[in-house]
Amino acid sequence: MTITLSRRVQRVSLSANAAARQLTQRLQAEGVDILDLTVGEPDFDTPEHIKQAAYQAIARGETNYTPTPGTPALRQAVQRKLLRENQLAYDINQIVIANGAKQIIFNAFAATLNDGDEVLVPVPYWPTFPDSVKFNGGEPVLLDCPLEQGFKLQPQQLAAAIGPKTRWLVLNSPGNPSGAVYDAAELSALAAVLRQHPQVLVLLDELYEHVLFDGRQHQSLLNVAPDLKDRILLVGGVSKTYAMTGWRIGFGAGPKVLTDAMAVVQSQNSSGAGSVSQAAAVAAFNGGLDFLVPQLAAYQQRRDSLVDALSTVDGLSVSSPAGAFFVLCRCADVLGRIRPDGRPLASEEDVLSYLLESGVSGVAGSAYGLSPYFRLSIATDLASVREAGRRIQTAFGQLRKA
């Protein structure tokens, strides 16, 4: 029997991040010495008070189905968090909970896109953005934002890209994979363009809002341009800040007509998120952020170590990320150079293969729409990050120009 797959599923592919990690884990299982810098999740454990809340929920018998939009306790906790940390006031009915931020994004596009609708996606991007658009019948319009412009969308680019079919703009800050962070002035300039196009919705992904370096304070489009609130969907969750990637809890906050429609979508594809995970997320949002101080110091130390090492390598171009877990490195100037075994580095893929053979695993920039680059994660211990930097210096130092 031949199974015919839908055109929709054939428009997307398996996450390149997942594929890179699977290859790394397979090689490690075979005994190959490889430092894994592919992972986009904290290497810290979930804080103890959050785990205790989960144990207590199980003991109380909170193991049944949950309301599709989320438990009242968690939606109220998100409501309080947004007011306390972000100075944003939402009604509880404007907040919806899902199985991770990825499902929030998918549900939003499923609820709003018709075939051929366009979504503006700055490049580099998190692959879920364009793939969720395509899966739901839309067309991602990719806007190149290379290293020279700090990996950030410029207002003139936005103005030129908006057309009659534009339905959404995706804005991710701090960004994955770039670590780029928009300041208030940059957000104000984008807001000025958006005011001229009231039909354009904004998907504001701020999942890394608390992973900021060098004393930066988070800036949100919602605070800079509160008049745009009625067409912004704020996406957040517990995975990055609280080291809760496996708990699968994300939230969306936005116009009630949108969050209601997103709940309808979710009611037909997964229903409510897990009861125990939601109880743990309540404790996360209610428990404060003191635990994060030493973690941020560790991330910043790792960032500095890796950026310092890469900056000494002839042919690599790197800027120091302002937030998130990643360093995005351009490798265009090493293409054409010759490996010690006589083979040329003809492509981004050749560079990643050479890195892998040198004992460092990263993800190709093409996974994020930008080539030739590669992404390395700092969500691993400092000793591994330092050793990875040393191996990269050694490997690229052995290349010779053609």
Side-chain angles (χ1 to χ4, degrees):
M1 175 182 174
T2 300
I3 297 177
T4 302
L5 300 179
S6 70
R7 288 190 294 273
R8 179 167 279 120
V9 78
Q10 293 179 65
R11 297 186 74 192
V12 300
S13 58
L14 180 68
S15 163
N17 296 356
R21 190 176 190 190
Q22 288 173 8
L23 173 60
T24 301
Q25 291 175 328
R26 178 176 64 79
L27 293 172
Q28 288 174 330
E30 295 171 357
V32 181
D33 176 20
I34 295 177
L35 297 170
D36 185 359
L37 270 64
T38 67
V39 183
E41 64 177 343
D43 58 318
F44 298 101
D45 194 15
T46 303
E48 186 62 28
H49 71 280
I50 298 173
K51 293 191 288 186
Q52 289 298 325
Y55 302 148
Q56 293 162 13
I58 294 171
R60 290 192 301 267
E62 295 179 14
T63 56
N64 299 319
Y65 288 134
T66 61
T68 297
T71 63
L74 181 51
R75 294 166 84 190
Q76 289 166 1
V78 172
Q79 181 186 42
R80 290 191 296 268
K81 168 261 189 291
L82 291 173
L83 187 60
R84 180 180 65 250
E85 297 177 8
N86 307 92
Q87 296 75 54
L88 298 172
Y90 285 92
D91 185 83
I92 191 173
N93 293 319
Q94 296 178 286
I95 296 168
V96 62
I97 308 300
N99 298 279
K102 182 177 288 191
Q103 188 177 34
I104 291 289
I105 294 165
F106 186 94
N107 289 350
F109 290 149
T112 57
L113 292 180
N114 292 311
D115 289 350
D117 283 347
E118 294 179 350
V119 177
L120 306 182
V121 181
V123 178
Y125 50 66
W126 184 40
T128 286
F129 296 138
D131 280 357
S132 287
V133 171
K134 289 186 283 187
F135 204 95
N136 286 294
E139 297 293 335
V141 176
L142 306 180
L143 308 177
D144 285 340
C145 304
L147 185 146
E148 287 80 6
Q149 60 191 63
F151 302 117
K152 289 184 276 191
L153 179 66
Q154 303 300 304
Q156 62 271 22
Q157 283 181 290
L158 176 59
I162 295 175
K165 294 184 178 181
T166 305
R167 186 71 168 136
W168 285 91
L169 164 68
V170 172
L171 203 59
N172 176 209
S173 178
N176 176 7
S178 68
V181 174
Y182 289 86
D183 63 28
E186 291 165 333
L187 292 170
S188 293
L190 295 175
V193 177
L194 290 166
R195 290 189 183 99
Q196 301 173 37
H197 303 278
Q199 79 283 6
V200 178
L201 303 171
V202 182
L203 191 148
L204 194 59
D205 181 343
E206 298 186 349
L207 206 64
Y208 291 92
E209 63 175 319
H210 291 301
V211 186
L212 293 166
F213 307 131
D214 307 312
R216 288 180 175 82
Q217 298 297 312
H218 180 62
Q219 302 288 336
S220 174
L221 181 65
L222 282 158
N223 301 118
V224 170
D227 57 301
L228 301 181
K229 183 181 177 183
D230 63 353
R231 52 188 172 116
I232 293 176
L233 176 68
L234 174 62
V235 180
V238 297
S239 60
K240 311 303 182 183
T241 298
Y242 302 96
M244 294 177 67
T245 52
W247 299 78
R248 307 309 304 136
I249 295 292
F251 71 80
K256 184 176 182 298
V257 64
L258 175 58
T259 55
D260 284 349
M262 291 164 60
V264 170
V265 173
Q266 187 163 314
S267 73
Q268 297 300 335
N269 64 31
S270 71
S271 297
S275 58
V276 176
S277 290
Q278 291 197 60
V282 170
F285 287 128
N286 289 343
L289 296 167
D290 289 347
F291 71 91
L292 195 58
V293 175
Q295 295 183 15
L296 289 178
Y299 289 137
Q300 183 165 323
Q301 188 178 20
R302 299 168 189 178
R303 177 206 65 172
D304 292 344
S305 175
L306 187 58
V307 169
D308 287 349
L310 295 175
S311 297
T312 67
V313 178
D314 180 46
L316 298 183
S317 300
V318 61
S319 64
S320 185
F325 302 150
F326 314 105
V327 174
L328 189 61
C329 186
R330 184 169 59 195
C331 54
D333 291 340
V334 301
L335 297 185
R337 295 190 184 180
I338 309 301
R339 296 165 36 131
D341 61 7
R343 289 186 288 163
L345 297 178
S347 66
E348 175 186 272
E349 290 71 23
D350 289 344
V351 173
L352 268 293
S353 294
Y354 183 57
L355 277 177
L356 194 63
E357 292 172 27
S358 304
V360 179
S361 178
V363 184
S366 56
Y368 314 104
L370 197 61
S371 293
Y373 287 76
F374 58 86
R375 190 196 79 172
L376 301 174
S377 171
I378 56 170
T380 189
D381 63 276
L382 179 61
S384 295
V385 170
R386 284 176 171 163
E387 175 61 13
R390 188 196 66 77
R391 292 182 184 186
I392 292 169
Q393 288 175 321
T394 299
F396 283 91
Q398 294 173 343
L399 298 173
R400 60 181 175 85
K401 295 183 179 179

